[in-house]
Amino acid sequence: RRLAEQEARALKRAGSMRRTPEEATHSLLGPLNSCWTLELAPADEEAVEAEENLRRLEKCLDEVGNSVAQGCGSVFGEVCGRGVALLHYSKMPEDRAAPKLIDPEEAVDYCARASRKRVGLYYCLGPSSTVISITPREDPTRPYCVMTRSPIIVAYRSDACVVDMGSKGVNITLEAEFFLRAGAGRNTAMNILPIPEVLANWFTDRLEAIAESDANEGVPLSYQREAAMLFHKSVRVRVMELW
Protein backbone atom coordinates (compact mmCIF):
# COMPACT_ATOMS: atom_id res chain seq x y z
CA ARG A 1 0.00 0.00 0.00
CA ARG A 2 2.77 2.45 0.87
CA LEU A 3 4.48 1.80 -2.46
CA ALA A 4 1.20 2.34 -4.31
CA GLU A 5 0.73 5.62 -2.45
CA GLN A 6 4.23 6.71 -3.48
CA GLU A 7 3.42 5.83 -7.10
CA ALA A 8 0.26 7.94 -7.00
CA ARG A 9 2.17 10.92 -5.61
CA ALA A 10 4.84 10.49 -8.30
CA LEU A 11 2.19 10.38 -11.05
CA LYS A 12 0.67 13.56 -9.67
CA ARG A 13 4.04 15.34 -9.57
CA ALA A 14 4.84 14.19 -13.11
CA GLY A 15 1.65 15.75 -14.44
CA SER A 16 0.15 12.41 -15.48
CA MET A 17 -3.12 13.03 -13.63
CA ARG A 18 -5.88 15.13 -15.17
CA ARG A 19 -7.83 17.89 -13.45
CA THR A 20 -11.45 16.81 -13.28
CA PRO A 21 -14.04 19.30 -14.64
CA GLU A 22 -16.19 20.80 -11.91
CA GLU A 23 -19.48 19.31 -13.12
CA ALA A 24 -17.92 15.87 -13.61
CA THR A 25 -16.74 15.56 -10.00
CA HIS A 26 -20.37 15.03 -8.97
CA SER A 27 -20.43 11.78 -10.96
CA LEU A 28 -17.29 10.57 -9.13
CA LEU A 29 -16.27 11.05 -5.47
CA GLY A 30 -17.11 14.74 -5.25
CA PRO A 31 -15.10 17.96 -5.70
CA LEU A 32 -12.70 17.22 -2.83
CA ASN A 33 -11.63 13.63 -3.43
CA SER A 34 -11.87 13.55 -7.25
CA CYS A 35 -10.01 16.79 -7.89
CA TRP A 36 -7.47 14.87 -10.01
CA THR A 37 -8.06 11.56 -11.80
CA LEU A 38 -6.15 9.08 -13.93
CA GLU A 39 -7.31 5.96 -15.75
CA LEU A 40 -4.83 3.12 -15.28
CA ALA A 41 -3.87 0.85 -18.15
CA PRO A 42 -6.47 -1.87 -18.91
CA ALA A 43 -6.22 -4.93 -16.69
CA ASP A 44 -5.45 -7.21 -19.63
CA GLU A 45 -2.37 -5.16 -20.57
CA GLU A 46 1.04 -5.41 -18.95
CA ALA A 47 1.47 -2.90 -16.14
CA VAL A 48 3.79 0.00 -16.83
CA GLU A 49 6.54 0.51 -14.28
CA ALA A 50 4.99 3.72 -12.92
CA GLU A 51 1.77 1.86 -12.02
CA GLU A 52 3.15 -1.52 -10.92
CA ASN A 53 2.08 -1.39 -7.27
CA LEU A 54 -1.22 0.32 -8.07
CA ARG A 55 -1.99 -2.59 -10.39
CA ARG A 56 -1.29 -5.00 -7.54
CA LEU A 57 -3.92 -3.23 -5.47
CA GLU A 58 -6.23 -3.40 -8.46
CA LYS A 59 -5.91 -7.21 -8.43
CA CYS A 60 -6.91 -7.15 -4.77
CA LEU A 61 -10.01 -5.17 -5.68
CA ASP A 62 -10.72 -7.69 -8.44
CA GLU A 63 -10.90 -10.50 -5.91
CA VAL A 64 -13.22 -8.55 -3.62
CA GLY A 65 -15.28 -7.24 -6.52
CA ASN A 66 -15.82 -10.64 -8.09
CA SER A 67 -17.17 -11.98 -4.80
CA VAL A 68 -19.49 -9.01 -4.25
CA ALA A 69 -20.64 -8.88 -7.89
CA GLN A 70 -21.44 -12.59 -7.95
CA GLY A 71 -23.56 -12.21 -4.84
CA CYS A 72 -25.42 -9.25 -6.35
CA GLY A 73 -25.70 -10.93 -9.72
CA SER A 74 -27.71 -13.84 -8.38
CA VAL A 75 -30.51 -11.39 -7.56
CA PHE A 76 -29.95 -8.28 -9.66
CA GLY A 77 -28.26 -9.56 -12.83
CA GLU A 78 -25.03 -11.17 -13.92
CA VAL A 79 -21.65 -9.47 -14.33
CA CYS A 80 -21.25 -8.33 -17.93
CA GLY A 81 -18.01 -6.39 -17.84
CA ARG A 82 -15.26 -4.68 -15.91
CA GLY A 83 -14.33 -1.01 -16.08
CA VAL A 84 -10.85 0.50 -16.22
CA ALA A 85 -9.43 1.28 -12.77
CA LEU A 86 -9.55 4.96 -11.89
CA LEU A 87 -7.11 6.73 -9.56
CA HIS A 88 -8.45 9.69 -7.54
CA TYR A 89 -6.32 12.37 -5.87
CA SER A 90 -7.79 14.88 -3.43
CA LYS A 91 -7.82 18.65 -3.72
CA MET A 92 -4.88 20.44 -2.14
CA PRO A 93 -4.67 24.03 -0.80
CA GLU A 94 -2.59 25.13 -3.80
CA ASP A 95 -5.13 23.83 -6.33
CA ARG A 96 -7.16 26.49 -8.09
CA ALA A 97 -10.86 26.28 -8.91
CA ALA A 98 -11.79 23.34 -11.12
CA PRO A 99 -12.17 23.99 -14.86
CA LYS A 100 -15.64 24.00 -16.37
CA LEU A 101 -16.92 21.13 -18.47
CA ILE A 102 -16.85 22.10 -22.16
CA ASP A 103 -16.78 19.03 -24.43
CA PRO A 104 -20.25 17.44 -24.94
CA GLU A 105 -18.71 14.07 -25.81
CA GLU A 106 -16.76 14.09 -22.55
CA ALA A 107 -19.98 14.98 -20.71
CA VAL A 108 -21.70 12.00 -22.34
CA ASP A 109 -18.94 9.71 -21.01
CA TYR A 110 -19.43 11.00 -17.45
CA CYS A 111 -23.20 10.61 -17.76
CA ALA A 112 -22.85 7.05 -19.04
CA ARG A 113 -20.67 6.23 -16.07
CA ALA A 114 -23.09 7.78 -13.57
CA SER A 115 -26.17 6.09 -15.05
CA ARG A 116 -24.69 2.59 -15.32
CA LYS A 117 -25.78 -0.09 -12.87
CA ARG A 118 -22.64 -1.54 -11.30
CA VAL A 119 -20.79 -2.78 -8.25
CA GLY A 120 -18.21 -0.19 -7.27
CA LEU A 121 -15.16 -0.62 -5.06
CA TYR A 122 -12.90 1.99 -3.52
CA TYR A 123 -9.53 1.26 -1.95
CA CYS A 124 -8.76 4.28 0.25
CA LEU A 125 -5.00 4.53 0.59
CA GLY A 126 -5.05 7.65 2.75
CA PRO A 127 -2.94 8.87 4.36
CA SER A 128 -5.48 11.37 5.76
CA SER A 129 -8.70 10.34 7.45
CA THR A 130 -11.75 10.29 5.19
CA VAL A 131 -15.39 11.16 5.71
CA ILE A 132 -17.49 8.73 3.69
CA SER A 133 -21.07 9.68 2.90
CA ILE A 134 -23.45 6.94 1.72
CA THR A 135 -26.86 8.16 0.54
CA PRO A 136 -29.62 5.60 -0.16
CA ARG A 137 -31.32 6.27 -3.49
CA GLU A 138 -34.70 5.45 -1.99
CA ASP A 139 -34.30 8.20 0.63
CA PRO A 140 -31.79 10.92 -0.42
CA THR A 141 -32.66 12.98 2.67
CA ARG A 142 -30.94 10.52 5.01
CA PRO A 143 -27.23 10.18 4.19
CA TYR A 144 -25.06 8.04 6.46
CA CYS A 145 -21.66 9.52 7.27
CA VAL A 146 -18.65 7.94 8.93
CA MET A 147 -15.04 9.03 9.46
CA THR A 148 -12.49 6.31 8.75
CA ARG A 149 -8.76 5.79 8.81
CA SER A 150 -6.99 4.22 5.87
CA PRO A 151 -6.57 1.66 4.53
CA ILE A 152 -10.18 0.64 3.95
CA ILE A 153 -12.16 -0.93 1.10
CA VAL A 154 -15.67 0.31 0.36
CA ALA A 155 -17.98 -1.85 -1.78
CA TYR A 156 -21.43 -0.70 -2.89
CA ARG A 157 -24.15 -1.09 -5.53
CA SER A 158 -24.76 2.03 -7.59
CA ASP A 159 -28.47 1.33 -7.91
CA ALA A 160 -28.81 1.17 -4.10
CA CYS A 161 -26.80 4.20 -2.98
CA VAL A 162 -24.55 7.10 -3.91
CA VAL A 163 -21.07 7.39 -2.35
CA ASP A 164 -19.24 10.65 -1.72
CA MET A 165 -15.98 11.31 0.13
CA GLY A 166 -14.24 14.25 1.71
CA SER A 167 -10.94 14.88 3.47
CA LYS A 168 -8.87 17.83 4.68
CA GLY A 169 -5.50 16.39 3.73
CA VAL A 170 -4.01 14.23 1.02
CA ASN A 171 -6.31 11.38 0.12
CA ILE A 172 -5.63 8.84 -2.61
CA THR A 173 -8.29 6.39 -3.73
CA LEU A 174 -8.20 3.57 -6.27
CA GLU A 175 -11.54 2.64 -7.86
CA ALA A 176 -12.68 -0.47 -9.71
CA GLU A 177 -16.14 -1.26 -11.06
CA PHE A 178 -18.05 -4.30 -12.28
CA PHE A 179 -21.03 -3.86 -14.62
CA LEU A 180 -24.25 -5.75 -13.93
CA ARG A 181 -26.67 -6.91 -16.60
CA ALA A 182 -30.32 -7.65 -15.93
CA GLY A 183 -31.53 -11.19 -16.49
CA ALA A 184 -33.88 -12.24 -19.27
CA GLY A 185 -37.27 -10.60 -19.17
CA ARG A 186 -36.22 -7.76 -16.87
CA ASN A 187 -37.11 -4.16 -17.67
CA THR A 188 -33.91 -2.67 -19.08
CA ALA A 189 -35.08 0.85 -18.12
CA MET A 190 -34.63 -0.15 -14.48
CA ASN A 191 -30.89 -0.45 -15.13
CA ILE A 192 -30.51 3.21 -16.15
CA LEU A 193 -29.83 5.37 -13.09
CA PRO A 194 -30.53 9.12 -12.85
CA ILE A 195 -27.50 11.30 -13.54
CA PRO A 196 -26.38 13.98 -11.05
CA GLU A 197 -28.45 17.16 -11.20
CA VAL A 198 -25.35 19.24 -11.96
CA LEU A 199 -24.68 17.25 -15.14
CA ALA A 200 -28.34 17.30 -16.14
CA ASN A 201 -28.42 21.09 -15.79
CA TRP A 202 -25.21 21.37 -17.82
CA PHE A 203 -26.82 19.49 -20.72
CA THR A 204 -29.99 21.60 -20.51
CA ASP A 205 -28.00 24.86 -20.58
CA ARG A 206 -25.81 23.58 -23.41
CA LEU A 207 -28.78 22.55 -25.57
CA GLU A 208 -30.52 25.87 -24.92
CA ALA A 209 -27.39 27.74 -26.06
CA ILE A 210 -27.27 25.65 -29.24
CA ALA A 211 -30.96 26.36 -29.95
CA GLU A 212 -30.45 30.11 -29.53
CA SER A 213 -27.28 30.32 -31.62
CA ASP A 214 -27.23 30.86 -35.38
CA ALA A 215 -23.61 29.73 -35.60
CA ASN A 216 -23.40 26.06 -34.72
CA GLU A 217 -20.67 25.03 -37.09
CA GLY A 218 -18.87 22.01 -35.68
CA VAL A 219 -21.74 21.08 -33.35
CA PRO A 220 -22.83 17.49 -34.03
CA LEU A 221 -26.20 17.23 -35.81
CA SER A 222 -27.50 14.97 -33.05
CA TYR A 223 -27.07 17.83 -30.54
CA GLN A 224 -28.65 20.37 -32.88
CA ARG A 225 -31.63 18.08 -33.38
CA GLU A 226 -32.00 17.47 -29.64
CA ALA A 227 -31.80 21.22 -28.98
CA ALA A 228 -34.47 21.93 -31.60
CA MET A 229 -36.77 19.37 -29.99
CA LEU A 230 -36.40 20.93 -26.53
CA PHE A 231 -36.24 24.69 -27.13
CA HIS A 232 -37.74 27.30 -29.46
CA LYS A 233 -36.56 30.88 -28.94
CA SER A 234 -35.56 30.18 -25.31
CA VAL A 235 -38.92 28.57 -24.55
CA ARG A 236 -38.95 24.92 -23.54
CA VAL A 237 -41.09 22.83 -25.88
CA ARG A 238 -42.08 19.23 -26.25
CA VAL A 239 -42.21 17.69 -29.72
CA MET A 240 -45.14 15.28 -29.83
CA GLU A 241 -44.80 14.05 -33.39
CA LEU A 242 -42.46 14.22 -36.39
CA TRP A 243 -43.53 13.59 -39.98
Side-chain angles (χ1 to χ4, degrees):
R1 181 179 68 89
R2 293 295 184 187
L3 293 176
E5 180 186 330
Q6 292 173 13
E7 284 181 350
R9 291 176 181 270
L11 289 168
K12 171 72 161 47
R13 288 194 301 268
S16 299
M17 303 193 73
R18 178 177 180 272
R19 189 67 191 272
T20 312
E22 179 183 354
E23 298 83 354
T25 60
H26 297 274
S27 66
L28 301 174
L29 288 176
L32 293 180
N33 270 36
S34 290
C35 181
W36 300 85
T37 53
L38 172 67
E39 285 190 351
L40 301 188
D44 57 354
E45 295 183 6
E46 185 177 354
V48 297
E49 185 177 355
E51 302 175 359
E52 185 177 355
N53 292 286
L54 287 167
R55 291 289 293 273
R56 290 176 180 172
L57 288 187
E58 182 184 0
K59 290 181 179 179
C60 173
L61 288 180
D62 277 345
E63 295 178 2
V64 177
N66 279 318
S67 299
V68 175
Q70 288 173 9
C72 293
S74 61
V75 179
F76 300 97
E78 63 181 13
V79 175
C80 64
R82 160 79 156 77
V84 176
L86 187 65
L87 182 65
H88 304 257
Y89 202 103
S90 62
K91 186 176 183 179
M92 304 306 297
E94 65 270 17
D95 290 327
R96 298 182 179 180
K100 296 293 184 180
L101 184 60
I102 298 176
D103 185 3
E105 298 301 327
E106 183 181 14
V108 168
D109 291 340
Y110 284 114
C111 287
R113 175 188 179 85
S115 63
R116 187 182 294 122
K117 183 178 178 180
R118 67 190 188 277
V119 170
L121 293 102
Y122 299 115
Y123 195 126
C124 303
L125 284 76
S128 301
S129 58
T130 304
V131 176
I132 301 176
S133 173
I134 301 176
T135 304
R137 288 190 180 273
E138 62 181 12
D139 188 2
T141 64
R142 297 185 60 186
Y144 298 89
C145 299
V146 60
M147 178 173 287
T148 66
R149 299 288 299 180
S150 302
I152 185 174
I153 294 179
V154 178
Y156 74 103
R157 277 203 345 258
S158 64
D159 59 328
C161 61
V162 177
V163 178
D164 194 2
M165 294 187 187
S167 59
K168 293 185 177 180
V170 177
N171 201 290
I172 301 166
T173 307
L174 183 63
E175 176 186 4
E177 57 180 0
F178 294 79
F179 309 138
L180 297 178
R181 176 172 55 209
R186 294 182 182 269
N187 186 355
T188 55
M190 298 295 291
N191 296 317
I192 302 176
L193 305 176
I195 65 175
E197 184 178 359
V198 173
L199 275 178
N201 291 339
W202 183 92
F203 268 104
T204 300
D205 294 343
R206 175 65 174 165
L207 292 174
E208 183 176 4
I210 292 174
E212 292 180 350
S213 176
D214 295 327
N216 285 320
E217 184 178 354
V219 177
L221 289 177
S222 59
Y223 289 96
Q224 296 185 45
R225 180 177 181 273
E226 188 73 18
M229 294 180 66
L230 288 177
F231 294 97
H232 177 66
K233 296 181 179 180
S234 300
V235 178
R236 295 204 67 165
V237 298
R238 181 181 180 185
V239 176
M240 302 298 294
E241 184 178 358
L242 293 175
W243 66 91

